Amino acid sequence: MSAPHTTAFTVGLTGGIGSGKSLVADMFAARGATVVDTDAIAHAMTAPHGPAMHRIEAEFGRAYIAADGSMDRARMRELVFTDAGAKRRLEAILHPMIREAANAAAVVAQGAYTIFAVPLLVEAGGWRERVARVLVVDCPEALQVQRVMARNGLSEQQVRAIMANQATREARQAAADDIVDNSGSIDDLGPQVERLHQQYLAFAAKLAAGPIERL
């Protein structure tokens, strides 16, 4: 994956479903970081008249297009969870487009540093080499299930099916340079985010002073 032409310090933020990664990303944004949300980019790509929709319809057929012209997410989710080949075909369409859009956003980023929020950072590959640090938002799997059931109204079986298609908690931890523990309350997140924010500001300043090795 090609990197954007920018010298900004970059962090890849990820975590399993229900881990709280969006909340943590928002907390970094509030402190002045630029957050590039690849999930939001993917949604824009597959919205009505989105740039990926023509190729998705050509590849999967009209049955996977909702009445409003967007991708039928529920039907597509059911397909890719049960058909690895379909999952690869969808990724082959979306991933290059998402990377290009994310890179373009990073080039014009005005924050002190840039955070790429990538739900499937570990699974997708390529991001580890793209960013200076990998930040994982972590919590026990049972808590993930509880949160997603409450938030999305899904059954435990449905949540665990989603989790089964994501990297394991252990794999994410192994890929991490930094970890935010979100097994407690929101109040517990602030000090962790602030500590990392100060660390990332220092790294960004060091990078701005000249080329450095991976941090």
Side-chain angles (χ1 to χ4, degrees):
M1 176 175 55
S2 61
H5 299 294
T6 177
T7 58
F9 175 70
T10 56
V11 177
L13 185 154
T14 194
I17 187 170
S19 63
K21 55 189 176 293
S22 295
L23 173 61
V24 170
D26 288 344
M27 295 175 77
F28 277 104
R31 287 165 167 79
T34 292
V35 174
V36 178
D37 186 340
T38 61
D39 204 27
I41 292 172
H43 276 72
M45 297 284 182
T46 56
H49 311 297
M53 291 311 303
H54 177 74
R55 290 185 60 191
I56 289 173
E57 182 173 359
E59 182 68 32
F60 294 96
R62 184 66 193 176
Y64 290 90
I65 310 302
D68 65 357
S70 65
M71 184 177 73
D72 187 330
R73 301 184 194 285
R75 189 162 192 174
M76 186 64 77
R77 186 184 302 115
E78 183 178 352
L79 175 66
V80 299
F81 281 169
T82 57
D83 184 338
K87 182 174 183 286
R88 287 191 293 271
R89 284 155 52 206
L90 181 63
E91 289 173 345
I93 294 170
L94 289 178
H95 284 184
M97 299 178 74
I98 292 169
R99 285 194 291 265
E100 183 178 353
N103 288 347
V107 168
V108 299
Q110 297 296 311
Y113 54 90
T114 300
I115 289 182
F116 293 100
V118 187
L120 300 180
L121 183 148
V122 175
E123 298 88 335
W127 282 100
R128 188 73 178 91
E129 294 74 31
R130 166 65 189 85
V131 297
R133 305 283 290 187
V134 171
L135 170 60
V136 169
V137 183
D138 180 64
C139 70
E141 292 182 355
L143 188 52
Q144 289 180 249
V145 173
Q146 177 184 330
R147 286 172 175 167
V148 179
M149 288 175 65
R151 182 186 69 193
N152 294 19
L154 300 178
S155 68
E156 179 176 350
Q157 182 180 8
Q158 289 173 311
V159 179
R160 291 199 178 276
I162 295 172
M163 292 169 62
N165 280 271
Q166 297 184 338
T168 64
R169 184 184 184 191
E170 291 74 21
R172 285 191 296 270
Q173 290 174 336
D177 295 298
D178 305 303
I179 293 178
V180 167
D181 177 8
N182 191 23
S183 59
S185 69
I186 293 178
D187 290 341
D188 297 328
L189 290 176
Q192 297 180 74
V193 170
E194 180 61 26
R195 176 182 61 79
L196 287 169
H197 173 62
Q198 294 301 325
Q199 179 179 318
Y200 295 159
L201 287 176
F203 285 152
K206 186 175 181 181
L207 181 59
I212 55 176
E213 298 297 321
R214 180 177 177 84
L215 297 165

